[in-house]
Amino acid sequence: MRTPALLVQVIDPAGKPLRAEAEIEHDPAATGQGSGQIWVGGADNVPAGTQASIAVAADTLTDGWKVRWRARAVSATAASAWSDWQQVTVDVTQPGEEPLAQTTGPVIRTDQSFTAAAWLRWSDKDGDYTVVEQKGTHQAPFRLGNEPLHGLVFTFTGADAADATVEGVLSDVEPPVGEWFHLAGVYDAAAKTASLYLNGNLVKTSPVSFATWHADGAMTLGSRMRGDLDEVNLFQQPLGADEVAALLTSPAAAASRPAAPSAAPSAALADGDFDYEHPSLEECHATQRAPRFTDSYSRMQERPYNACWTAWIGYTGWEEEDDGGIKKRKPAAWTMLFPPQLRIPAMLVNQLHPGDVFSFRATWVAHSYLGSANGREVYEGGDSTNGLRPQNMKFWLKFSDFGIYNTGIRRSALDDELEDMQLQFGLKTSPSCKITQGTATQNKTIKAWRGTYLEYLIEASKPETGKKDNVVCSVMPAITAYEGKKGNLPLWDQELLSSKGKRLSVVRWGHGVPANDLYAPSFRCDWRQLIGHNFGGCIYIRADRVFTMSKTKNHNFRDVIAHIEKALDQDRNADTNPPYRLGDTTADRDDEYPPAREKTGTERFKSIPGNYAAAPGTTAGLPLWRGADGNEDANRRVFSGHRFWVHKGTDREFYMGNSWGSNYCKYYNEDMYEEHGIGAMRCDEYPFASTQEGAAKDRLNYSVQAVWTSHNSRHGEALQDFYSQYRLLTYNPDHSVSSESPFWVKIVD
């Protein structure tokens, strides 16, 4: 069954974040299903005045139960009274049958002229889909959607009866697949016609001979539909062709028309699609690139929920030593280089040539996971993760390609001589985690290594005392054929290179190999529930976390994307608000007297970070960092929630009173508020208020812009999902062992 959620809005007069709590119990009037409390839960750090979605754990409720629920707001010092009980009947529908949304009653008169329109994206051209309908007792008076035999349709029924006559548009036009498109149906009661439009173009007009009838049931959106639906518009009048076309560009309907179809962009996070991108050993072995932080002999993949490493390991007829800080080579006997444990046959030594290298490939893969809403299972893991917990990691290792090589060519004739040589592998972890499945040390012959791989299960240990709720788990694979510490050859890169290949630091080998875990693959595991419904998980700390937004796929908050794109563009962000002018300093900024909006020609570009497309090391390319609890309030107080004046004492004076609804956007974008109304617009800010780089950092290098309220809300939800799914924790030294919560933003077509 799908996981239900309760929507709760919390308000704090002081504007501070709150905890939203809810409880569900059996309806006392119901019989035969149990009694008393069923479930309690909540969501923390809910911004005041916003709506929290509290997920109810899967399988908590049973189909047909009659239950009731209530909610309250909780601050650090007090709790509100419980709300009134809300009665609910649990109704489990089959996948694809449930509407995406439903009203509490009728929206339009279906026996009069009307227009219905929506943006859609489907993956199936043969689906039996209904976009909008308003049902009667037995039938719906109209249907806008798609039929397998007739393609896109806009039809009407002659009566509220199962066998009613159906007339209208059967277009025989297939819907676009895999891309956003706009569909509109127009009914003209006076002309008795139904017209269907696709992307603003008239597809077909058909007569409707009978008088249509009115259904006073609830309106449902996306009934029997699999796909995406957005920006539904309903008008109690028949729109003309020009007016339908205008819906594609009207800010009130869709902030901007999606661009022409293109290859699917990498915007999975903003779309809510989550993918671990876990590679297999074979996929890691085939890795072609050597990213930053790796040396030229290894290849590595690093993602938030996995890491993999593959490299050639070799012994040859020379060794390196330090001579006054300079690395030098010196000749060495083969028998000295091979440890006794390898037991290299004497006849093999006699067949070796100058330049021969005994070499093999070491490949390992580590997977980590994200917690579900209840924190007991893995989120969207599938059958392969049954029984795993969010703080588990899986580790696989394989040795392969054993041989004697000379100038890159394998001397295959010597392969049989290597069969009985032995190689020992060892896996250790930091004290914060432990191996729960798999033998830590394994010694095998090369013949045995050729046909096997190792698999381990690792679990992070939750701190038992104090307030810490996350730990760093380091995994340290090594070849341990040598006795003691000198035999520990780490199977990861201990040279740290910059993005330009410059060596930043290195572990010198000299005689023997130092035993340390410098740059060992590490995961930060937490037991925290974030807004977005994911409870706990382990994130690979060296992987970049990037919040990707698509201008075509995420059109439901494209206004916000346009704002962020402009703020990040140093060729254009001098035109963002508040203006940053030559001579401005943080000390000179007074929040009650923001800079005037009129351009003076002295505006300068802003140094705004977080752009993943910018060059590393530049101000624009620096990451954003998730802030501490309360960070949002401090940032937003700079430009909102207080009185302010502009042009004080002149005939152009603009004054905003001390109110939670006051904000700079109402001054800088005054024309938008006047045209569309205060409720339609919301003040959007970048860098995000939830980051350390927000407006309060220096009061200079930030941007605010009025955007559609729905766009601001949808973007906020997507950002919260990103924080939750990629474990961007709010930082608190009492709760954290690491403040590793940097991230970037990326905008794609």
Side-chain angles (χ1 to χ4, degrees), residues 382-430:
D383 294 340
S384 63
T385 62
N386 287 341
L388 293 184
R389 299 181 68 84
Q391 293 76 28
N392 282 146
M393 289 146 281
K394 297 197 75 172
F395 184 92
W396 295 265
L397 172 121
K398 184 176 179 62
F399 292 132
S400 62
D401 303 299
F402 292 94
I404 302 295
Y405 295 81
N406 195 304
T407 64
I409 300 174
R410 183 169 172 174
R411 297 182 62 191
S412 301
L414 302 179
D415 282 358
D416 290 344
E417 306 296 336
L418 302 174
E419 294 284 283
D420 294 329
M421 292 173 59
Q422 294 186 3
L423 189 68
Q424 182 172 285
F425 169 77
L427 182 66
K428 296 191 301 180
T429 68
S430 59

Side-chain angles (χ1 to χ4, degrees), residues 470-493:
N470 66 81
V471 298
V472 173
C473 172
S474 296
V475 182
M476 293 163 278
I479 293 175
T480 55
Y482 288 85
E483 294 183 351
K485 294 182 178 180
K486 291 183 179 181
N488 194 65
L489 177 62
L491 297 181
W492 68 85
D493 291 299

Side-chain angles (χ1 to χ4, degrees), residues 235-256:
F235 304 88
Q236 196 70 71
Q237 65 185 57
L239 298 187
D242 292 343
E243 293 173 306
V244 172
L247 292 178
L248 277 69
T249 55
S250 168
S256 53

Side-chain angles (χ1 to χ4, degrees), residues 536-550:
C538 294
I539 205 84
Y540 185 66
I541 64 175
R542 264 185 16 182
D544 294 342
R545 284 169 279 181
V546 184
F547 181 49
T548 305
M549 297 163 281
S550 165

Side-chain angles (χ1 to χ4, degrees), residues 1-2 63 90-100 222-226:
M1 120 179 228
R2 295 180 62 185
D63 191 21
V90 181
D91 183 11
V92 179
T93 54
Q94 297 305 311
E97 294 181 348
E98 70 276 18
L100 299 178
S223 304
R224 303 196 312 276
M225 193 191 89
R226 295 192 180 186

